[in-house]
Amino acid sequence: MEIEFTDITKMYGKKCAVDNVNLTLESGIYGLIGANGSGKSTLIKMLAGLLKPTSGKITLDGKDICAMGAAYRSKLGYLPQDFGFYPDFSAYDFLRYLCAVKGIGGSLAEERCKKVLYIADLYTVKDQKIKTFSGGMRQRLGIAQALLNDPSILIIDEPTSGLDPRERIRFRNKLGEMAAGKIIFYATHIISDISYLADRILIMKDGKIASKHVTSDELLAEAEGTVWLMNVKRSELPGIQSKFNVSGILPLEGDYLRIRIVSDVIPRLDAVSGSPDLEDVYMRFFGEVSEYADADKV
Ligand SMILES: Nc1ncnc2c1ncn2[C@@H]1O[C@H](COP(=O)(O)OP(=O)(O)OP(=O)(O)O)[C@@H](O)[C@H]1O
Ligand SMILES: [Mg+2]
């Protein structure tokens, strides 16, 4: 199975949301990371066949996905970023309803609903109303619905609403368990999630894929020599921040701070080299701290 994006561009009026993306996907987990507005959801909607590219084409094993229509959709599971639940439905009724929408009927529908409820660890709460579910349970239900048709291509556009670390790990592990033989394409702006999970990381910036098909180890190796630690006076910080990307600040005794800087050149002669982590990589690409940057890692 191979999906190929050729010269994919999407314009919203004059706004170019996805800019000439070329990409090949084979089975495995792909993590698409990028800041808000970088074009992840737009790219994903085109992959899901819901949005037509302004130009370029996406093919599955050589066939244009737009021309494939239902034959493509039958292979596809999709969890949109803004997935709407019916709060008064139970999880089971909700999935049965979606089976009907997807044209899965009778005993097969019952079998599939049970199966995906097990996979998502929701079987024991299947008769509870969705409005009683936590954010993590809802996200797992979102995955469950995407799996109803036993898809070989699973596309997840992560909701921006945060999950607690325990639920994040659980969600991540679920995806890992299901990955065999599938293409999983997972968009997020939380780098730590995909660093554990993804076989390949794609970094999206301003509608372009800035870095593609690298593993997290390769990203880290590339960032070697770009992280610096140094002690500075509190009063020096604003000046340093105006010149460099500061990815961590730790207060020390008295008037001093230990700071972590991401820079391709040594920021000051007394700076010592540190080992990069994926937050630093993110900082290097986007010049901002990602949501889960850890302030006390310096
Ligand atoms: N329907 C639309 N009409 C006009 N502009 C849009 C539309 N959808 C998205 N955009 C713009 O296209 C760009 C890319 O948006 P997109 O939703 O793909 O980003 P994203 O990477 O998914 O962001 P986020 O992390 O916030 O989900 C943004 O500038 C956005 O404002
Ligand atoms: Mg989005």
Side-chain angles (χ1 to χ4, degrees):
M1 193 168 45
E2 187 179 275
I3 292 179
E4 188 140 24
F5 293 66
T6 310
D7 300 333
I8 287 291
T9 293
K10 179 69 194 178
M11 309 290 298
Y12 294 114
K14 285 195 176 129
K15 164 87 200 170
C16 182
V18 169
D19 189 2
N20 200 38
V21 166
N22 287 282
L23 201 58
T24 306
L25 310 175
E26 288 163 350
S27 56
I29 305 184
Y30 294 83
L32 177 68
I33 183 117
N36 292 131
S38 55
K40 302 181 297 297
S41 294
T42 304
L43 191 68
I44 271 194
K45 284 179 198 160
M46 290 191 282
L47 177 59
L50 296 170
L51 199 61
K52 250 180 115 58
T54 307
S55 58
K57 67 175 178 182
I58 303 175
T59 57
L60 171 64
D61 295 331
K63 290 186 207 134
D64 191 320
I65 63 165
C66 294
M68 284 178 75
Y72 180 66
R73 283 194 298 277
S74 70
K75 294 180 195 299
L76 195 77
Y78 173 45
L79 173 59
Q81 186 167 14
D82 47 3
F83 189 66
F85 294 99
Y86 292 87
D88 284 309
F89 276 42
S90 71
Y92 182 76
D93 289 344
F94 178 64
L95 293 173
R96 280 304 291 254
Y97 164 73
L98 288 177
C99 280
V101 172
K102 289 173 194 238
I104 306 167
S107 58
L108 182 61
E110 191 179 337
E111 187 190 306
R112 290 279 171 83
C113 288
K114 280 190 178 155
K115 185 162 177 217
V116 300
L117 283 162
Y118 271 118
I119 293 174
D121 283 339
L122 292 170
Y123 193 77
T124 55
V125 294
K126 68 181 174 43
D127 297 317
Q128 279 182 31
K129 286 189 175 173
I130 297 170
K131 66 183 172 194
T132 69
F133 280 12
S134 70
M137 291 160 86
R138 280 173 207 226
Q139 195 155 350
R140 280 185 273 126
L141 183 59
I143 286 293
Q145 67 75 32
L147 293 173
L148 278 172
N149 57 338
D150 195 18
S152 46
I153 304 160
L154 180 61
I155 307 174
I156 299 161
D157 197 352
E158 189 179 66
T160 35
S161 60
L163 297 181
D164 68 34
R166 198 176 121 256
E167 277 291 359
R168 302 203 75 79
I169 292 166
R170 191 168 179 182
F171 184 69
R172 216 160 63 191
N173 291 347
K174 277 284 150 217
L175 287 183
E177 278 168 33
M178 296 176 327
K182 291 189 193 338
I183 292 178
I184 298 189
F185 198 76
Y186 178 16
T188 180
H189 53 272
I190 297 169
I191 198 161
S192 58
D193 276 358
I194 58 164
S195 65
Y196 292 109
L197 184 70
D199 302 315
R200 291 282 181 260
I201 296 175
L202 308 165
I203 296 183
M204 194 159 192
K205 190 175 182 182
D206 301 331
K208 292 191 172 70
I209 303 287
S211 170
K212 65 181 168 185
H213 290 201
V214 290
T215 61
S216 52
D217 287 346
E218 284 164 348
L219 271 182
L220 290 174
E222 210 178 284
E224 203 59 58
T226 66
V227 171
W228 307 93
L229 301 167
M230 60 189 205
N231 295 347
V232 300
K233 277 195 170 149
R234 217 171 265 275
S235 57
E236 292 174 311
L237 186 62
I240 291 171
Q241 276 177 317
S242 70
K243 287 202 207 91
F244 296 102
N245 290 323
V246 176
S247 72
I249 301 169
L250 177 73
L252 298 176
E253 296 275 302
D255 208 20
Y256 282 87
L257 304 168
R258 182 146 183 87
I259 63 171
R260 184 176 179 97
I261 289 176
V262 181
S263 163
D264 288 352
V265 293
I266 187 167
R268 215 165 70 178
L269 285 177
D270 61 336
V272 294
S273 184
S275 49
D277 63 21
L278 284 163
E279 299 292 353
D280 301 313
V281 171
Y282 189 96
M283 181 78 153
R284 212 169 147 233
F285 274 100
F286 298 107
E288 59 185 64
V289 183
S290 94
E291 188 172 319
Y292 278 67
D294 189 354
D296 40 53
K297 70 185 180 191
V298 273

